[in-house]
Amino acid sequence: MSLVYKEKIVKWDWYEAESVISTNDTVKEKVCELGRTIVISALHQTGGRGRRGKNWQEIIGNLYFTYTQEAGAQELSKIVSIVGLSLAKVIKKLSPQSDVQIKWPNDVFLEGKKMSGILIENIEKDIWGIGIGINVVGAPILEGTNYQATSLKENGIELDRTEILHYYLKQFFEDMEEYRRNGFKNIREQWLKIAKNYRQEITVKTERETKTGVFEDIDDNGYLILKTKQGEERIIAGDLFV
Ligand code: BTN
């Protein structure tokens, strides 16, 4: 696999590959050699990984990238929220009249359909690889879900994949600055304004169990607060269903 250096985007050195198995794996492999503040995109991703062992299908022209971010493990849930919020804000800016929502923890939905996926993995102590797939030109047919996928193109947003990469990294950088300066409060408020299924009955599947209740809030850590018959539960990680 050969990587071509493109330019610096905000603080990240951006490299592009013709083809990789997974940009998350490539960043993990290359971080020592290329430095700790990098973003790697690929034109082809042959073994893209999704959350919970699912695969992430390649459609040529879609955007696949992974960038590094320094953060303590205790603030990871907040970073997870910021990553989704920044992406949602970019889409809203590109198409102000469209309906953009975030499904906890950080799936971005456009007109009720999933348009992106985010997989955050640890690289080394306090360095995370944030992998994002954005359906720029095409959407896969999803199986085993009760929602569909969509693309930006399908919604009249016609931009080159690399323009979206620039917009996203700039927005994420700004949102992280806001979080580092003023804490999570403002981010949480912005997040809740566009939260999908907020105050509705939902089911959350975690690694160990499945719980049903009302989606009450997210707390100062970005944990989901679920009001169940047994009382209030705080959920750190999981998948949300309706
Ligand atoms: C999901 O919704 O299940 C998360 C999908 C994450 C896909 C992206 S594409 C770029 C990066 N490389 C991967 O192998 N996965 C992420």
Side-chain angles (χ1 to χ4, degrees), residues 15-16 42 50 72 77 85 127 146 168 180 212 233:
Y15 295 84
E16 185 152 78
S77 299
L85 178 67
I127 307 233
N146 57 0
Y168 172 77
R180 295 272 187 240
T212 297
E233 308 241 3

Side-chain angles (χ1 to χ4, degrees), residues 28-45:
K28 251 182 238 172
E29 280 160 32
K30 295 283 177 182
V31 81
C32 282
E33 181 186 328
L34 301 177
R36 282 180 163 60
T37 313
I38 55 170
V39 53
I40 298 181
S41 59
L43 290 159
H44 297 277
Q45 183 176 246

